[in-house]
Amino acid sequence: MMATTHALAGVALGTAVMALVPEAGIIPVLAAALGGLFPDFDLYAGHRKTLHFPVYFSALAVPALAVAAVNPTTTSLAVALFLAAAAVHSVSDIFGGGLELKPWLGTSERAVYDHWNGRWLAPKRLIRYDGSPEDLALTLVLAVPPVLVFDGTIELLVIGAVAISGVYVLLRKPMVVAAERLVAALPDHVVDYVPERFIRDLR
């Protein structure tokens, strides 16, 4: 799924909690958005393995959410929502496409690495690939709660994320074609600096 989809999943989760505990303010919502994005910080270094922890994030989120439920402070809610959103991201990637640059071809059986069991989990492909029409549809659904609840900067950021998603969906496949041509034209000493997984898929 797109990074914007994951971020908005966190925002939607934070928005729901904010409706229950409005006095906590906006910080837990921002923490949830960051948690939704965080696993994708490994994009160029062991993507969906280095920072994706479907078991560990989930295991940490449960007690954190329990603490936040008993003592709902800004800090406890921020920590709990960060972990919960990171867990949702890590788990939900299992339901997307595989770990390849052309996931619409369905050639990879690697979705997310399960560190607990030491193996890759296979993609379910309910959302065929990041940037697919169904991915955009999910982004739009997740954007509805925060747009209804917030105004000003937060609302604009959510709308901006949706707009970026729409552009990415339009460019998703053409970008791969352009990347193939670019990599083919690069001299070998430059290609050495490109992450290996990209070169493997593009050459």
Side-chain angles (χ1 to χ4, degrees):
M1 297 177 202
M2 295 180 286
T4 47
T5 305
H6 291 304
L8 287 174
V11 173
L13 180 61
T15 301
V17 171
M18 186 175 176
L20 298 173
V21 193
E23 61 272 18
I26 196 67
I27 291 177
V29 179
L30 297 176
L34 181 60
L37 279 174
F38 179 75
D40 273 348
F41 289 173
D42 69 7
L43 184 62
Y44 293 101
H47 187 42
R48 297 195 190 173
K49 182 177 182 180
T50 305
L51 294 178
H52 284 61
F53 301 102
V55 175
Y56 296 146
F57 274 138
S58 300
L60 290 171
V62 171
L65 288 167
V67 170
V70 173
N71 184 30
T73 66
T74 298
T75 300
S76 66
L77 287 168
V79 171
L81 287 173
F82 176 92
L83 292 170
V88 169
H89 179 147
S90 299
V91 172
S92 65
D93 270 343
I94 299 167
F95 298 95
L99 187 62
E100 70 256 70
L101 288 186
K102 296 180 182 179
W104 48 87
L105 298 180
T107 58
S108 173
E109 288 306 309
R110 293 183 171 191
V112 178
Y113 193 76
D114 175 3
H115 293 82
W116 177 258
N117 292 298
R119 63 186 178 91
W120 284 93
L121 301 174
K124 303 295 184 183
R125 297 189 175 91
L126 297 180
I127 290 180
R128 292 169 296 156
Y129 58 91
D130 63 297
S132 65
E134 56 269 30
D135 193 3
L136 180 59
L138 179 57
T139 298
L140 291 170
V141 170
L142 292 170
V144 171
V147 166
L148 292 177
V149 170
F150 298 107
D151 54 18
T153 302
I154 299 297
E155 182 182 28
L156 289 175
L157 288 172
V158 171
I159 293 171
V162 171
I164 291 169
S165 300
V167 172
Y168 181 77
V169 169
L170 291 174
L171 298 178
R172 176 65 171 97
K173 290 184 179 181
M175 281 192 305
V176 173
V177 174
E180 287 176 323
R181 293 175 180 170
L182 176 61
V183 168
L186 289 175
D188 289 340
H189 70 276
V190 175
V191 171
D192 291 341
Y193 293 97
V194 179
E196 189 273 336
R197 77 179 186 90
F198 294 153
I199 299 303
R200 183 181 64 244
D201 288 343
L202 290 172
R203 281 190 160 180

